[in-house]
Each structure stands twice: as structure tokens, then as C-alpha cells.
Amino acid sequence: MKDDPAIRYCITPHRPSGHLFDVQCTIARPDPAGQRVSLPAWIPGSYLIRDFARHVVRLSASSRGQSVSVGKLDKDTWRCMPCEGPLVIAYEVYAWDRSVRGAHLDDTHGFFNGTSVFLMVHGQTDRPCRVEVRPPPGEAARRWRVGTAMPRDGAAPYGFGTYRAENYEEVVDHPVEMGEFTLATFEAAGVPHDIILTGRHRADLDRLRADLRTLCSHHIGFFGEPSPMDHYVFLITAGGDGYGGLEHRSSASLLCSRNNLPRAGEQGVSEEYRTFLGLASHEYFHTWNVKRIMPQVFRPYDLEREVYTRLLWAFEGITSYYDTLALVRSGLIASESYLDLLGQTITRLLRGGGRLKQTLEESSFDAWIKFYKPDENTPNTVVSYYTKGALVALALDLTIRRDTRGARSLDDVMRALWERHGKTRVGVPEDGVERLAHEVSGLDLRLFFDRALRSTDELALDELLAFFGIRFTLRPAESEKDKGGKPAAKPESALTERPVLGIRLASDGPEATLAHVVEGGAAQTAGLAAGDVIVAVDGIRATRADIDTLVGRLTVGATIRLHAFRRDELMEFVLTLASPPADTCVLALRDDVDDATHARRGAWLQVGPVPPKTLGRARPDGAGDHAPP
Ligand SMILES: [Zn+2]
């Protein structure tokens, strides 16, 4: 159609067994000087250069049946010779990445993010897009359906056919799943939600539907109705292992173990299911916090190169804080279960020496080269803006609540961010979160932010939590598997007598291979290094399965011999066993607190005297109405 300004994409899973999508991009009015097109170097939400163009297998161009010469300008970019148009660019994309960030295709299903398959047409990224999703060849494909939040433009519900997006940024923000998936639907605050579940599973769909409805209603209530999206899709891939999620404006891609999904007849919320609910909660909260309330530098996204921000602590950390807090506030888990998770988060922070070297702002800024490119030294040098960010959000929330006597909280700051930057789509400047926190709370938080974001000082969480009736204790780990959060089964004295080597083992293989050596620990002092394979502890053969037990039988302060292979050379190390650090956090609700503390805690967790259903917009201590409902 001559006057149609839309960029048209047509995608076919034409060779599932070869993992190849066939894609055509039609440009009605190509650049008269020669049209340039490229694939993004990264996908929003995952801050690593991935160069999706590396999976383009063949690319050719034509116009009105005549071949158009096309050449490459750089790793991601092609240029077609000038032609009158329409210009048709045809290519194949190899899709064998099962993560939530790429594209995947085989005989059982197909999945893609637009960043992997849709060429960006330079100079025309504001144009509307039409996407024709075609079925794969063959008989089996008759049963395939399509799941996506991309608005339909002629396609039947869950059907192959044409979809649309307002521009390039939108078309790459609606991942698409196709195959024989399980479909469940529910409404939250009047918004239809789809659960698209791929992979073999025995999940209790009614339970999943009910719990996700509770969770989504809670989040919508938190920011206030109406919800910013008119349709939402959870694209879930369940398998034997894997864990991850990626947020989009009206959907989330989740990858989890099938054991994370609730089974029929399962009572309560198991730790595995709690992990799934936390993941879904996290990505859903992002619908507001990062997909709409966005760093100014992401407006618009420059998908050709790294985009630096010091704000990932706010977008990932605050989201991580609320993902689990929402579980207790919405009544899906008990307060004790929430404190268990919080204790684990504090434990993770304390076990990484990187918190003493890198500030939260530095971690955010360097995400591209550090957090997203972990190596054997990462725990010693990098602090996670998820983990520390969540705890800074906790500290900020409790500080505002304490110092305003409950009149304000981080909830109010988030709602103000939503009003100021989310609804208006005005990007958040690098100091925007801090400024709004000052404004909303009326507190001078400069010292708080300088310490929390721009120093490596330890967070004083114990004092803050005590003010809210939470007992904070630290103890040594009980075993290598001890993640914290829970009291130990053994008495404290037994824990302090358990010597440690200061190592972390690789999680696979039968051998005791060192994945990481703790800076300043016994192993590093003795000369051991990441990659070494410990074969004997004090003359006794050691494997991955029994090294913890072998070391546990020895005594703190004892000097032992340790044998290990470095590459293929056997080496001997003399090592003095150290006492274990008290790096495992346990939190508990104190029941001996006064009424005021009890009320503060109830207002924060939204449990207790205030009925949970009304709590999305509660003003517990009679605060004014600064933030929007
Ligand atoms: Zn996130």
C-alpha cells in the first residue's frame, strides 16, 4: 500500500527444527539516500551488550521484485542502496536462547523478543508498526496459539495474524509466545490478565490464578486505579531448572522451575512457590517502576550502545523491596515468612566483600561491565544493586516512617514518582528520586543518601528494625547451604566451633572446584585460587559432596594440609582454619513490644489491626493526603 506509513514485519517460524525464524521487514518509504537498518545491541531491563545481530543468518533486500544491494556498516547495522520503495528486507534469525532476553524456537514452541527479530529502521522509529505472525508449516502447528500483550490488528484472540504497535520502542516491548501453551485468565481491578504457561507442568491453575489476582490487585491499588495497562500477560516458561524474569510495559517473561509452581492440593505457600510469587511480583511492580517511571537517560532508549545511570538501585532495588513486601501486605505470606526472606537478603549482602569496595551508585553505573559480567572475583568487588538496593529501600522506608512519626513513607514517595514521572512520562533525572524523597517526607535526607548510595558504610538496619519491633541477630552459618533467615538448629556454640576455609564451590560436577575464594579468608591466605580443585583435606580425599563435613570435623585454629590441582599440577597448601564470620542474619517479630511499636510495625507490614483489603492507600497515622490515592 503506497501511502501506508507503517513499518511492516512478517515473522514465520519456518524451520522450527533448525531454530530459524524467517522475517521480512517492509519499508514503504525508504531513505532516498540509502536506508540504514540495525538490530539492537541490548534489550531494556538487562544491561549487557548482547549484539542481537549476531544471530542474523542471511539478509537480503529487494524492491518491486528487483534485488537491492545491501552492505554492512558496523556489527549491528546494514545499509541498503537507494531505491524507490517499498523496500523489503528478508532475513533469518537463529533462535536458540531459552532465556527471557532472546528468542527460542523448536518443534514444541516459539518465543521471541522484538529486539532479537525486528530490524530498527533508522529515521523511522516513530512510525507505527504492523506485525504479521504466521504459523509454522506442518500439521502440529494447527494446535499452536499465540500469546502476547501486543494489540491485535485483525488477528483473532490468541491467534496467528496481524498485530500492531505505535512505534519501534513499543514493538520490541511485547514479547510473543507461540505453541500449545496452557492458558488461564483473570481480572484484576477490571483489567484482563492472561497466564500463558509453556513447558510440561502440573501446576494448580486455579491457585495460580487466584494468587496472581490478589497480587496484581494489590500492586494496582498501591499506585492507584486506573491501572496504566488495559491488558496484561504473564508469559511463563517452566522447566527442570532456570530462573529469571524480564519486565515489559504490559507483560512479563518469567522463567522458572516447574517446582516453583503450586501443585494441586498444596497447602500454604512453599519456599519454592514463594520464589515464583516474588518473581511475578517483581516484574509486575516494574510495570510502574522502570517501564513508566523511567530514568531520564532511558527516554528514549538508545539501543545501539550502553546507557549509563546511577539510578538502578531505585529501579531494581526499590522494586526488589516491594516485590516481597507486597506478598505479606496482600496476605499471600505471613509476616514471619517475609522476615525470613528479608533475613536472607541481609545475609547475601553481608557475605559479599564487594559491599565494602563498591558503592551502590557505582554498581549501577558499571552494571554493563561488572554486575552483568560476573567472574570468580565478583563477590569480592561488586555489590548487587538488587540486594543492597532493596535494603536501602527498606532503610529509607523505615527512616521516613520513624522521622515523620508515621505520617509519610516510601509508599508516598513511590506514588509521587508515579504522579510526577509515571503518568506524565517525564524521565527521572539522576537526582530525581532523592529530591522527591526530600519533598514528600519533608526530611533532610542528604546524609542518608550520601551514606547509602555514595559510601560503603554498613547500613544500620539493626537499630531501624528494632524501632519497628523486629529482633535482628547475626550468627555463623550452619552449613554451606544455610541461606539465613531462620534460626539455626544447632546451638550457637556449635556454630562458632565450625571452621571455615573461605571458599565457595562450583555448583556442578563431583569435584570440589573453587568457584570463588573469599578475600582475606583462610584459603586465599594459604594461596588457593578460583578454579583449583581440592582433592584432599588433611590427607583425606575430598569431593564436592563431603568437603563441608570433612572440614566441619576439624578444629578452628588447627593447621592442616590441603591438596588441590591447579590446572593439571598437584599442589600442596598449608592452611590455618579460621573461625566462621557471623554473617547470617535472622529476624524475628518481638512480641514484647509496646502498643506504639506494635502499631508502627502493623502500619509498615500492613498486617494486624488494619484489615489488609483496605490497605493499598492507608494513611495509618492520620497523615495528610499528599500523595495521590
Ligand atoms: Zn527487575
Side-chain angles (χ1 to χ4, degrees), residues 497-500 550-560 576-578:
E497 285 163 11
R498 179 179 160 270
V500 290
L550 279 178
V551 174
R553 286 191 194 127
L554 302 168
T555 325
V556 170
T559 298
I560 61 158
T576 304
L577 292 169

Side-chain angles (χ1 to χ4, degrees), residues 258-276:
R258 62 177 66 88
N259 297 328
N260 289 128
L261 299 172
R263 272 156 288 202
E266 187 177 310
Q267 298 297 309
V269 174
S270 66
E271 283 186 31
E272 285 168 321
Y273 183 38
R274 189 178 66 181
T275 301
F276 172 81

Side-chain angles (χ1 to χ4, degrees), residues 247 282-283 286 316 386:
E247 68 277 7
H282 182 95
E283 306 308 343
H286 271 319
E316 291 302 344
Y386 286 84

Side-chain angles (χ1 to χ4, degrees), residues 100 111 113 175 233 235-236 244-248 251-255 283:
V100 294
F111 169 81
N113 283 289
V233 182
L235 298 167
I236 307 169
L246 193 62
E247 68 277 7
H248 300 282
S251 58
S253 301
L254 310 178
L255 177 66
E283 306 308 343

Side-chain angles (χ1 to χ4, degrees), residues 36 44 97 103 184 240 274 283 319 328 360 418 457 478 560 592 628:
R36 284 183 302 147
D97 172 2
R274 189 178 66 181
E283 306 308 343
T319 300
V328 68
L360 210 41
W418 172 237
D457 292 357
E478 204 167 8
I560 61 158
D592 55 346

Side-chain angles (χ1 to χ4, degrees), residues 271-347:
E271 283 186 31
E272 285 168 321
Y273 183 38
R274 189 178 66 181
T275 301
F276 172 81
L277 289 173
L279 179 65
S281 180
H282 182 95
E283 306 308 343
Y284 199 76
F285 193 84
H286 271 319
T287 312
W288 290 265
N289 194 35
V290 90
K291 295 312 300 187
R292 289 172 177 81
I293 305 167
M294 295 165 87
Q296 204 168 54
V297 292
F298 288 178
R299 301 205 60 92
Y301 288 113
D302 181 349
L303 296 176
E304 295 186 82
R305 56 189 62 81
E306 294 89 342
V307 181
Y308 300 97
T309 174
R310 292 180 172 81
L311 280 174
L312 291 182
W313 74 270
F315 291 98
E316 291 302 344
I318 293 179
T319 300
S320 297
Y321 171 57
Y322 279 106
D323 65 23
T324 35
L325 189 59
L327 299 185
V328 68
R329 284 182 168 183
S330 62
L332 288 168
I333 64 171
S335 304
E336 290 79 2
S337 181
Y338 172 65
L339 294 182
D340 180 15
L341 288 169
L342 202 52
Q344 289 181 11
T345 306
I346 295 169
T347 303

Side-chain angles (χ1 to χ4, degrees), residues 141-178:
R142 287 174 188 269
R143 294 189 298 272
W144 281 30
R145 293 188 286 185
V146 175
T148 180
M150 203 184 308
R152 292 182 288 114
D153 193 46
Y158 313 106
F160 289 94
T162 306
Y163 293 77
R164 65 183 156 79
E166 281 181 17
N167 49 41
Y168 185 75
E169 194 168 303
E170 185 186 348
V171 83
V172 298
D173 203 16
H174 293 302
V176 175
E177 171 71 31
M178 57 181 81

